[in-house]
Amino acid sequence: MSDWEPKIVAFLCNWCSYAGADLAGVSRIQYPPNVRVVRVPCSGRVNPLFVLKSLENGFDGVLVSGCHPGDCHYISGNYIARRKFATLKTALEFIGVEPGRVQFSWVSAGEGEKFAQVVARVTEDVRKLGPAKRLVKTIGGGQ
Amino acid sequence: MLLKDKKADLVIGYERGSSKRRARPVVIRADKDVDRLIFDDTCGPSLVPFARKALRATPLGTRVAVVAKGCDGRALVQQIAEGQFKRDQVVMIGVGCNGVTDHRRGASGEKREASCERCRYPNPPVYDVFVGEPVAAGTGDEFAGVAEFEKLASADRWAWFEHELGKCIRCYACRNACPMCYCEECVVDQTNPLWLGKSAERPDTTLFHLVRALHTAGRCVDCGACERACPLGVRLALLNKRLEREVRERFGYTAGLSMEATPALATYSEEDKQEFML
Amino acid sequence: MQGPSSSSRSTLVVGAGIAGIQAALDLAELGADVHLLEETPSIGGRMAQLDKTFPTNDCSICILSPKMSECARHPNITLHTHSSLVSVSGAAGNFQCTIREHARYVDAEKCVACGLCSDKCPVKVPDEFDVELRSRKAIYRHFAQSIPSNYLIDTAHCLYLTKGACRLCEKACAANAINFEDADRIVSLNCGAVVIASGIDPYNPIGYGQYGYREYPNVVSAMEFERMLSASGPQRGHVVRPSDGKEPKKIAFIQCVGSRDLEKNAYCSSVCCMYAVKEAVIAREHGKGIEPTIFYMDLRAFGKDFDRYCERAESHYGVKLARARIGRVEPVEGDSLKLHFMPEYGRRESEVFDLVVLSVGLEARRRLARLTDQVDIKLNEYGFCKVLPFEPLATSRAGVFVCGAAGGPRDIPESVMSASAAAAGCAPYLGLERRARASNKEFPKEKVVVGERPRIGAFVCHCGTNIAGVVDVNAVVEFAKTLPNVEHAQDVMYACSQDSLETIKEKVKELDLNRVLVAACTPRTHEPLFRETLREAGLNQYLFEMANIRDQCSWAHMNEPAAATEKVKDTVQMGIARARNLGPLEELLIDINPRALVIGGGLAGMTAALAIADAGYEVVLLERESELGGNLKDIRHTSSGADPQALLRSTAERVKGHKFITVHIGAEVKSIDGYVGKYTTSVEIPNPKPQTPNGASPIEVEHGVVIVATGAEEAVPAEYLYGKSQRVITQKELEKRIDTLPRMKTVVMIQCVGSREPDRDYCSRICCAKAVKNAALIKRKHPNTEVYVLYRDLRTYGLAEKYYTEARELGVIFERYELDSKPKVEPVKPGDVTSRVRVRLGDRLLGKEIVIDADLLVLASAITAPVGNQTLAKMLKVPLNRDGFFLEAHMKLRPVDFATDGVFMAGLAHAPKDIDESITQARAAAARALGVLCKKQVAVEGTVSWVDPDRCTGCGVCVATCAYAALELKELKRGSETVTVAQVNEALCKGCGVCAASCRCGAVNLKGFTDDQIYEAVSALRA
């Protein structure tokens, strides 16, 4: 247990947050190595099922990040996404999934530093929550 | 009368069922059978899934009359907003509803369904003819149950849902009864990808109900059909109700009131709140 | 091998640095046959030698490599490396060019670049590429990522070729590639135009005896330091001192070595301030204990985002910026160096440093002088190519153009812009025709993989030490081999290098692979390169997947090698899971409407319009105001004495009279719909009757590309009594009345008014040169008028430094001030708007206040982006930067493109710039636009949405969410039923996937990012 490290999946939009993550690297800004990135064209591509499935698969946390309002490469994908995220977050927290397991952010292509900060924050939040149990499906049904 | 005047080709309503405490849907095609129609507190099951099937199966130009209490009327409106049929295909026979009986909990007229207790739309928002008198809407907080539940700690809420959803046997009666669940192939039945395992294991079950709630968010009219259909009495509507409140508070949208408005999750406002975004 | 060509469609580009490469690529896209001549054995030029680039700290070779590969792969480009120009005769449209391809003694067809020959070669030669910091062999490659990648023999040092004995390489070569019989080849080319892109040499600081270069080992030139910083350089990126191999703590950068020095080079080299700050930042990243100090005269951070970069260098990296002139460098104990300097304020000081970097200036390539003889073009007083007034790319010989730093000191984006612009200049001489095919490159027929079991090849890149220095690449390779469907896994040194690309192709063929995963840098820059490699290997390009293990891993977790390796393994596993589910995709061909829309009728817009129209394509030019000209209307003089009003008249007349240009005055863009090749723009024009039969406004313009040239504005100053005193005006207002200015006793100019302030923290770039010009004009007319220029950093970059020197000689007084002690201005007679104004300035040198009563106070007010940019950006779906200027696709290498295809920018819409720079960027935008217009069709990405009609219920949620109206509901027969289902218009779909994520029924999917691909990725790590 002591050497447990949270594993977090991050859905990053190609044009802003993924580029911001690249910029963080290019600028050699260091951040916790706990995030596994799934590149999507737009935060609007993120079906809530992706998030739920990630939790069920045992990721300790999920981060979804897109372009700031107004910056969406696809005009309004992030606005549509924002409505999905709000309902998803409400639903998860209502049934008792810990707040902090699933988080959402806006990170632009120029915000390498913000990306690093967001990852650090989410990692820290998830670390405090401990390994995910709620919604996690383990093979054979046992915990 | 509608049939006689050729204003409708068929009427979908309720008739007396196998017992006095039950009503069942019926399709009336001839004027002479009209007397079979009833409407009272036993008329619980949503007629909307039947109506949708009938409307989509009949040739264009066929007019279907539907007996619509408040919630069913809203479901019809919502389906029209979602392009499932055209307004002029349907003749809405509005009825005021005093709530239907929870036949599991009491005799006729004694105990109303939970969803009826909190109902604020006893009359359909849209109708062509109205039978009887409109019913006055209830007052009080329709989201009181949600608010009460939210007082519980996160872990307790989780425990409650674990217990409640633990009863689920994945029979999908809730989905089949739901007026808004009309996908050709439900996400739980899809295999490529296999979003939801077929087992009755807890995470899969929980996910199923979560997804159903998300898919009906901003569309659910709180008709109570899901809970009424559930053979195990799982309290399914609580989460739906929470999301109904979310959509109303956050996006200013209530399902089933407008045939023109774009459903809440298919649109956006630049001013939507985003306090949860990092 | 090269026979003489008789087609005047050919162009000769001399020099294959970034400028030559860009010019070649743009010309090739226009359909020209390009001959790219390079003296060294590889293309790449100076940029290949750089470690990082400012202001984004992009890895230089990483962003250059794809362009180099593209050059090598382009069917219209022929490389002539290790070659020299012999002569150019004839005239524009029909030059006879003779070049000599020097013998390489290694058969390019046979050499596999394995390096065995080099291992065996006994001769060591100082390596030019590494500025002689290490040695190479007599049989060698120019550098690791060389293109072409094959080896060659250095005739001057080879034992066999000089002394007649050895031939060890011949024995070592298993491929029998060594050919000592090889001889130089003379190639004759018939070319329509010639581009000179011969670049620069770094100044040799040996001339500054007082700095002790080559005398003290720990005094190095900036180019040497650049190589020291480079991960693939002689020190593998470890910053250590040449004398003892120890890590230095204090590093001093001495600026203006060989620049702004009347005895050496009088001009400013433009790039040294920024590269010094960059080198200081990168050095700091290499060693946290390093304390860099930059000794400078003026910090010339005049480019887009440069000031912010410097600010960050100071605040985040502790880079010290010290304004002081270094007197001499003296060796002290422990190989360290004592710098004696005179700070701006105060007494002579000294400080000891462990390492001294001389920020050497840029000089025209030494061979340029010889080259200009051969081509018969003239040089300017500084040895760079002489260009014509307002023709910044035209040399003294028609049909011969110059680009890059051969025309004057320039940074990378300006070199790239000038290269594209030179390509536009060439176009009229080449007789190019519109071509039917998007690309005339032939690819092998694609193998059918549908129904086949996935057979994945995984290639894990070291990226030199960029990845392998942190991540255990071998462990990753071994891990990849254990994953299902992985038929082959291997490591590669540089996945993007030509030899690695060849390896990938060979493995695909040899092992019958049908999916490829490359774990390397980022798909954002390198996916196109690898996709094309798949096409060359006969696979559909969408069967490629990339795992980002550098930018998002090794670079971000440099101090956690074990965790970084774990993350890489997971990333590879997720990538393989996705790759397993990839399918081939088709690209849709879109017809290109060959008309351009140019928004903005200032100098940039008009210049771009003319360049496109001169190439034979129709242009619709929109100007919001009542006449053409924009800011140029208010400019009366230039520093060089050329007449801007004559330029305006001739340009506007040519625009109005051009048969291919339609001008709409007073035009307002209402909406822009469509996509590359097929745009429809609605324009409101005041009097539409002549243009449309029904007299309706707005009119609709159909076009294939858009150029945004909306200009910029002078801000209205909010300080220094502006608007409160009639004596206070802006530079722009001064400009209007400069010719009629009465004689005055005293004129004061204040610089940086509203620029480089906390709430507008960028430099407006041109105000310094403008103030210097206007100050000199006043002084020349009225020598007795006292003219003061109060400035923070005097930024007369490049060759404009001359005018700064001249102004001082004329007696213009330059006084510096700091942001925290700005001048104070008050009326001499309070309450009188006509009163002279009193300017007070704290003088730190004398410790007392300077008080000047001015007849006229001129404010260099900031250049700001028009508010209208916001609306236009939304309509075009393109981004603005935080200052409201349009944001280019890449700051270094795509300075006129947007990320959106078919949309380009020029002039002040991009950032503040002067007349010549606007002309250059306008021509560059035109060249890029012509690259689209000259094709009858272009292909759109295969990443588009798709609806399964059997699952669709026609609920319309996808239709409502689509921002591009790419989906609509249509009736369809399903069995006996007629149902309404959604359908996708692939030409309109941009592939965002919002529709797919919104569909409850799973009926809508996004090709390339399908539900099951993402499902597999997030499920890959399940235990």
Side-chain angles (χ1 to χ4, degrees):
Chain A
M1 202 64 229
S2 59
D3 59 352
W4 169 76
E5 276 294 323
K7 216 170 245 193
I8 295 158
V9 67
F11 296 93
L12 307 183
C13 84
N14 182 56
W15 304 93
C16 292
S17 298
Y18 194 90
D22 279 349
L23 180 62
V26 168
S27 319
R28 307 296 189 281
I29 300 169
Q30 305 293 296
Y31 55 85
N34 301 62
V35 159
R36 305 295 178 261
V37 173
V38 174
R39 183 168 68 121
V40 286
C42 175
S43 52
R45 173 68 186 100
V46 178
N47 189 322
L49 280 167
F50 301 170
V51 175
L52 299 178
K53 198 69 200 172
S54 300
L55 290 171
E56 199 192 39
N57 280 332
F59 280 106
D60 300 302
V62 181
L63 168 66
V64 185
S65 191
C67 307
H68 285 273
D71 285 0
C72 180
H73 183 73
Y74 302 106
I75 310 171
S76 55
N78 55 352
Y79 285 126
I80 300 273
R82 187 165 65 184
R83 289 201 161 186
K84 285 196 186 79
F85 301 162
T87 31
L88 172 62
K89 192 173 160 67
T90 300
L92 283 170
E93 290 176 11
F94 188 70
I95 69 161
V97 173
E98 308 95 323
R101 283 272 178 231
V102 179
Q103 303 202 39
F104 306 90
S105 66
W106 303 136
V107 174
S108 80
E111 293 178 326
E113 209 159 285
K114 179 170 180 192
F115 179 77
Q117 285 164 5
V118 165
V119 170
R121 156 128 189 229
V122 174
T123 307
E124 212 28 61
D125 289 351
V126 173
R127 191 189 300 282
K128 280 188 197 135
L129 293 172
K133 293 206 173 66
R134 300 171 192 175
L135 285 183
V136 180
K137 185 177 179 183
T138 44
I139 286 177
Q143 281 293 345
Chain B
M1 194 179 77
L2 288 168
L3 289 171
K4 201 153 71 183
D5 295 353
K6 296 275 178 238
K7 282 186 179 153
D9 300 298
L10 46 99
V11 178
I12 295 174
Y14 297 96
E15 66 174 355
R16 180 59 58 218
S18 50
S19 84
K20 267 201 278 184
R21 283 167 57 186
R22 301 227 175 182
R24 67 182 175 209
V26 63
V27 179
I28 304 287
R29 292 176 189 278
D31 197 32
K32 63 179 168 57
D33 296 328
V34 166
D35 291 343
R36 284 165 64 188
L37 291 172
I38 57 161
F39 186 78
D40 58 24
D41 69 317
T42 63
C43 296
S46 175
L47 295 176
V48 178
F50 299 94
R52 179 176 182 275
K53 270 195 197 111
L55 281 160
R56 288 171 71 92
T58 52
L60 225 59
T62 311
R63 295 194 17 125
V64 178
V66 186
V67 174
K69 54 185 185 287
C71 51
D72 291 354
R74 286 174 64 204
L76 287 170
V77 166
Q78 189 64 25
Q79 288 219 358
I80 292 167
E82 293 176 6
Q84 296 308 294
F85 39 83
K86 301 255 181 320
R87 174 67 184 92
D88 57 13
Q89 283 180 269
V90 60
V91 180
M92 290 163 82
I93 306 169
V95 288
C97 173
N98 281 306
V100 298
T101 300
D102 179 350
H103 63 258
R104 275 192 289 253
R105 289 195 285 169
S108 190
E110 282 173 10
K111 193 77 183 167
R112 292 194 299 172
E113 289 276 4
S115 57
C116 301
E117 288 294 337
R118 57 180 179 253
C119 178
R120 293 294 166 272
Y121 298 94
N123 312 301
V126 177
Y127 51 83
D128 297 290
V129 287
F130 201 91
V131 180
E133 290 302 312
V135 171
T139 51
D141 183 9
E142 60 177 309
F143 298 111
V146 169
E148 195 60 32
F149 183 75
E150 278 191 317
K151 289 180 186 156
L152 296 176
S154 170
D156 295 337
R157 294 201 299 272
W158 177 255
W160 187 88
F161 269 100
E162 280 285 88
H163 172 259
E164 208 50 33
L165 299 179
K167 301 178 206 163
C168 174
I169 55 167
R170 301 282 293 268
C171 70
Y172 305 139
C174 49
R175 177 194 73 191
N176 298 342
C178 176
M180 300 322 295
C181 272
Y182 56 73
C183 285
E184 295 293 331
E185 186 182 22
C186 177
V187 66
V188 298
D189 297 325
Q190 292 172 16
T191 51
N192 189 26
L194 183 68
W195 286 116
L196 295 154
K198 304 290 185 206
S199 74
E201 275 178 57
R202 203 61 52 74
D204 281 335
T205 308
T206 312
L207 239 55
F208 163 63
H209 290 289
L210 257 174
V211 170
R212 222 181 72 77
L214 290 168
H215 280 180
T216 54
R219 306 170 62 237
C220 170
V221 295
D222 196 19
C223 66
C226 48
E227 288 197 355
R228 210 173 298 129
C230 180
L232 290 138
V234 179
R235 287 186 55 194
L236 295 160
L238 187 62
L239 177 56
N240 290 333
K241 202 68 190 164
R242 174 65 186 88
L243 294 182
E244 184 186 337
R245 191 181 84 189
E246 186 72 19
V247 168
R248 190 175 304 171
E249 287 176 354
R250 209 174 256 282
F251 315 134
Y253 181 87
T254 303
L257 298 185
S258 163
M259 291 177 287
E260 291 79 32
T262 310
L265 284 148
T267 185
Y268 67 93
S269 157
E270 289 178 12
E271 274 72 52
D272 285 339
K273 280 194 295 176
Q274 56 169 29
E275 77 295 341
F276 61 93
M277 301 289 310
L278 293 180
Chain C
M1 263 205 287
Q2 294 296 328
S5 159
S6 60
S7 166
S8 65
R9 275 175 45 185
S10 295
T11 316
L12 177 66
V13 177
V14 182
I18 183 59
I21 287 174
Q22 185 64 46
L25 286 171
D26 283 332
L27 282 162
E29 282 300 302
L30 293 177
D33 292 321
V34 184
H35 293 271
L36 183 55
L37 175 81
E38 170 58 39
E39 195 168 56
T40 71
S42 170
I43 62 171
R46 293 291 172 202
M47 192 177 165
Q49 287 179 285
L50 305 181
D51 177 38
K52 301 281 152 51
T53 59
F54 60 82
T56 50
N57 284 359
D58 270 316
C59 156
S60 188
I61 191 69
C62 305
I63 56 175
L64 177 63
S65 264
K67 290 240 178 198
M68 289 167 61
S69 299
E70 204 182 334
C71 245
R73 287 195 319 264
H74 204 292
N76 294 2
I77 299 177
T78 309
L79 300 183
H80 306 273
T81 54
H82 197 47
S83 301
S84 51
L85 185 64
V86 178
S87 66
V88 174
S89 61
N94 191 19
F95 287 117
Q96 270 71 50
C97 307
T98 309
I99 62 178
R100 177 187 295 272
E101 289 187 333
H102 297 281
R104 295 176 82 105
Y105 301 98
V106 178
D107 188 334
E109 302 288 314
K110 292 179 183 166
C111 175
V112 294
C114 67
L116 286 174
C117 52
S118 193
D119 291 346
K120 289 288 183 299
C121 176
V123 185
K124 283 193 176 176
V125 184
D127 188 337
E128 306 87 342
F129 183 79
D130 269 320
V131 262
E132 310 198 345
L133 292 175
R134 64 176 157 187
S135 58
R136 58 163 173 85
K137 298 296 183 63
I139 185 164
Y140 71 112
R141 276 202 289 193
H142 194 40
F143 53 99
Q145 302 89 342
S146 284
I147 286 183
S149 62
N150 38 349
Y151 281 64
L152 77 161
I153 292 176
D154 175 353
T155 38
H157 295 93
C158 169
L159 280 183
Y160 177 72
L161 292 174
T162 55
K163 301 210 168 76
C166 178
R167 301 181 82 134
L168 284 175
C169 52
E170 203 173 26
K171 292 187 194 85
C173 182
N176 284 325
I178 312 292
N179 171 21
F180 282 110
E181 308 303 310
D182 200 9
D184 291 2
R185 278 172 297 272
I186 298 293
V187 181
S188 299
L189 302 167
N190 184 269
C191 293
V194 175
V195 176
I196 303 294
S198 55
I200 53 102
D201 281 319
Y203 176 79
N204 185 346
I206 201 85
Y208 283 78
Q210 68 271 37
Y211 294 157
Y213 180 69
R214 287 284 150 95
E215 197 175 335
Y216 318 129
N218 293 336
V219 177
V220 300
S221 80
M223 190 47 123
E224 288 161 3
F225 194 61
E226 194 80 38
R227 292 309 301 156
M228 289 163 70
L229 289 169
S230 171
S232 53
Q235 300 179 353
R236 305 231 148 259
H238 299 300
V239 180
V240 292
R241 301 205 303 179
S243 74
D244 52 10
K246 282 189 191 147
E247 195 174 283
K249 188 166 159 58
K250 294 179 71 178
I251 303 180
F253 290 81
I254 303 179
Q255 295 306 107
C256 298
V257 178
S259 306
R260 302 184 67 188
D261 182 336
L262 292 177
E263 292 178 2
K264 305 291 195 306
N265 292 318
Y267 56 85
C268 161
S269 292
S270 292
V271 299
C272 322
C273 284
M274 290 308 295
Y275 80 56
V277 173
K278 172 202 74 183
E279 288 186 355
V281 165
I282 303 297
R284 234 328 265 274
E285 284 187 344
H286 283 262
K288 290 280 175 284
I290 290 177
E291 295 169 14
T293 303
I294 298 174
F295 292 99
Y296 68 99
M297 294 201 281
D298 289 286
L299 188 70
R300 293 195 162 168
F302 54 85
K304 202 172 179 180
D305 274 344
F306 288 4
D307 259 327
R308 279 198 277 266
Y309 184 79
C310 295
E311 197 284 318
R312 207 178 128 76
E314 279 189 279
S315 62
H316 280 67
Y317 292 93
V319 175
K320 227 170 103 187
L321 297 171
R323 200 183 296 266
R325 194 77 178 130
I326 304 294
R328 65 193 170 89
V329 174
E330 177 194 2
V332 293
E333 210 175 316
D335 297 330
S336 289
L337 303 143
K338 184 187 261 187
L339 268 60
H340 296 275
F341 55 93
M342 179 64 109
E344 188 181 25
Y345 311 111
R347 299 175 172 200
R348 191 169 291 280
E349 285 178 28
S350 66
E351 191 173 346
V352 175
F353 290 87
D354 304 314
L355 184 71
V356 172
V357 181
L358 305 179
S359 294
V360 293
L362 312 186
E363 290 187 326
R365 198 83 147 192
R366 278 180 274 283
R367 67 179 150 91
L368 181 62
R370 183 163 43 88
L371 200 63
T372 49
D373 282 349
Q374 287 155 347
V375 189
D376 191 23
I377 54 173
K378 294 194 170 59
L379 296 183
N380 65 21
E381 59 196 297
Y382 304 116
F384 293 100
C385 273
K386 189 181 173 74
V387 291
L388 308 181
F390 300 130
E391 286 292 342
L393 313 148
T395 66
S396 52
R397 186 173 181 183
V400 180
F401 297 87
V402 59
C403 66
R410 282 194 184 113
D411 67 3
I412 293 167
E414 284 179 39
S415 294
V416 169
M417 275 190 240
S418 69
S420 295
C426 293
Y429 296 102
L430 302 178
L432 302 173
E433 286 160 10
R434 205 162 176 242
R435 286 169 307 139
R437 289 177 54 86
S439 157
N440 43 17
K441 179 167 177 175
E442 292 292 333
F443 290 98
K445 198 171 174 317
E446 279 175 14
K447 182 172 160 334
V448 178
V449 303
V450 178
E452 268 187 19
R453 189 174 60 85
R455 297 171 58 84
I456 306 170
F459 298 85
V460 186
C461 181
H462 287 250
C463 197
T465 56
N466 281 306
I467 293 167
V470 177
V471 172
D472 184 346
V473 169
N474 289 331
V476 175
V477 171
E478 290 310 310
F479 172 74
K481 285 178 183 168
T482 67
L483 297 171
N485 300 103
V486 173
E487 292 295 320
H488 173 75
Q490 71 167 93
D491 61 329
V492 282
M493 183 49 73
Y494 289 97
C496 58
S497 66
Q498 202 58 41
D499 58 329
S500 296
L501 299 178
E502 289 302 324
T503 304
I504 293 171
K505 282 190 267 182
E506 281 160 21
K507 290 294 172 192
V508 166
K509 291 197 181 112
E510 181 191 328
L511 302 168
D512 196 23
L513 304 175
N514 55 23
R515 309 280 190 286
V516 171
L517 172 115
V518 171
C521 46
T522 169
R524 291 177 50 255
T525 54
H526 280 62
E527 195 172 60
L529 173 67
F530 295 117
R531 279 185 170 178
E532 186 157 345
T533 304
L534 258 66
R535 291 180 77 185
E536 287 165 0
L539 281 180
N540 183 281
Q541 58 173 324
Y542 292 93
L543 298 169
F544 172 74
E545 174 68 13
M546 198 155 175
N548 186 328
I549 65 168
R550 188 191 69 182
D551 300 44
Q552 295 181 9
C553 196
S554 65
W555 279 352
H557 317 303
M558 295 164 85
N559 308 319
E560 299 169 274
T565 303
E566 277 314 299
K567 179 169 170 179
V568 167
K569 284 182 182 174
D570 284 354
T571 305
V572 167
Q573 191 168 3
M574 289 164 75
I576 294 286
R578 236 182 77 84
R580 204 178 290 131
N581 286 277
L582 292 174
L585 301 181
E586 292 297 321
E587 298 200 327
L588 182 75
L589 289 173
I590 295 181
D591 292 333
I592 300 292
N593 179 327
R595 185 186 293 130
L597 178 74
V598 178
I599 305 174
L603 178 61
M606 290 193 292
T607 306
L610 282 171
I612 292 171
D614 285 346
Y617 294 89
E618 267 186 66
V619 182
V620 174
L621 177 64
L622 306 181
E623 170 55 46
R624 177 185 289 208
E625 288 176 31
S626 58
E627 59 179 326
L628 294 171
N631 286 311
L632 185 59
K633 286 185 298 214
D634 298 324
I635 303 176
R636 296 281 180 275
H637 300 275
T638 64
S639 303
S640 64
D643 181 358
Q645 290 308 307
L647 170 70
L648 173 58
R649 281 192 300 276
S650 65
T651 310
E653 270 163 33
R654 234 166 65 69
V655 165
K656 288 178 201 157
H658 205 295
K659 63 175 175 175
F660 288 138
I661 303 179
T662 309
V663 180
H664 293 301
I665 296 295
E668 191 84 34
V669 177
K670 285 292 153 199
S671 68
I672 303 173
D673 292 308
Y675 43 87
V676 58
K678 191 175 190 280
Y679 280 104
T680 307
T681 296
S682 169
V683 185
E684 212 162 76
I685 50 176
N687 183 20
K689 287 207 179 76
Q691 282 92 14
T692 56
N694 56 5
S697 176
I699 58 161
E700 304 254 293
V701 181
E702 301 202 329
H703 52 104
V705 296
V706 190
I707 292 178
V708 178
T710 47
E713 298 162 351
E714 189 188 60
V716 179
E719 53 190 333
Y720 301 127
L721 296 184
Y722 184 80
K724 298 191 179 79
S725 165
Q726 293 178 2
R727 302 275 184 166
V728 184
I729 62 172
T730 66
Q731 283 285 356
K732 188 173 177 174
E733 288 159 349
L734 172 66
E735 195 87 48
K736 284 186 209 170
R737 55 171 109 153
I738 189 99
D739 293 331
T740 55
L741 219 53
R743 199 160 115 198
M744 284 174 286
K745 190 163 173 294
T746 311
V747 176
V748 176
M749 297 180 178
I750 302 179
Q751 301 302 103
C752 296
V753 178
S755 297
R756 305 181 66 199
E757 297 260 3
D759 50 0
R760 197 184 286 130
D761 57 350
Y762 62 88
C763 167
S764 294
R765 186 175 174 123
I766 57 174
C767 333
C768 281
K770 189 185 271 189
V772 164
K773 170 189 76 180
N774 288 336
L777 282 167
I778 294 171
K779 207 67 186 168
R780 281 205 177 91
K781 204 167 171 192
H782 307 294
N784 294 331
T785 302
E786 284 190 345
V787 183
Y788 293 85
V789 178
L790 313 184
Y791 71 100
R792 289 171 57 195
D793 287 284
L794 216 289
R795 292 179 168 176
T796 44
Y797 56 91
L799 307 187
E801 179 72 6
K802 170 167 99 174
Y803 306 114
Y804 178 30
T805 311
E806 280 176 13
R808 277 177 301 171
E809 284 166 356
L810 285 167
V812 177
I813 300 159
F814 290 85
E815 287 287 345
R816 250 182 39 74
Y817 73 92
E818 294 284 348
L819 183 58
D820 57 10
S821 59
K822 283 164 51 169
K824 292 183 177 58
V825 179
E826 64 200 19
V828 173
K829 283 188 217 151
D832 181 358
V833 294
T834 62
S835 158
R836 301 175 80 205
V837 290
R838 183 161 293 155
V839 181
R840 294 171 188 275
L841 181 70
D843 184 330
R844 297 191 185 184
L845 187 60
L846 302 172
K848 63 174 190 191
E849 202 175 50
I850 303 176
V851 180
I852 316 161
D853 285 350
D855 298 297
L856 190 64
L857 175 62
V858 187
L859 307 179
S861 191
I863 294 174
T864 59
V867 184
N869 281 5
Q870 310 269 2
T871 326
L872 190 59
K874 281 215 159 65
M875 285 194 267
L876 277 168
K877 297 142 202 164
V878 296
L880 299 174
N881 75 357
R882 58 195 263 189
D883 307 318
F885 292 99
F886 285 94
L887 182 61
E888 57 271 40
H890 189 277
M891 294 205 74
K892 279 292 178 192
L893 296 185
R894 294 183 67 190
V896 299
D897 302 2
F898 284 99
T900 308
D901 291 341
V903 192
F904 309 93
M905 69 183 92
L908 275 69
H910 161 260
K913 52 178 66 73
D914 70 16
I915 292 177
D916 275 357
E917 289 163 346
S918 288
I919 292 172
T920 301
Q921 198 182 18
R923 297 248 167 84
R928 304 289 296 160
L930 285 167
V932 176
L933 297 175
C934 73
K935 291 163 191 142
K936 288 186 177 155
Q937 290 184 319
V938 294
V940 286
E941 284 258 314
T943 314
V944 290
S945 285
W946 172 81
V947 179
D948 178 351
D950 290 338
R951 279 184 177 172
C952 180
T953 61
C955 78
V957 64
C958 53
V959 178
T961 55
C962 181
Y964 302 97
L967 285 137
E968 55 183 332
L969 292 170
K970 283 193 174 154
E971 284 192 348
L972 192 83
K973 281 268 179 223
R974 186 194 284 157
S976 58
E977 269 184 281
T978 300
V979 290
T980 304
V981 296
Q983 274 185 5
V984 179
N985 178 346
E986 295 188 358
L988 287 173
C989 178
K990 299 275 185 208
C992 65
V994 172
C995 50
S998 301
C999 180
R1000 300 179 296 271
C1001 309
V1004 191
N1005 227 321
L1006 178 63
K1007 293 175 184 176
F1009 292 93
T1010 60
D1011 282 352
D1012 59 333
Q1013 286 161 3
I1014 294 170
Y1015 172 94
E1016 291 299 335
V1018 300
S1019 303
L1021 307 182
R1022 278 195 68 95

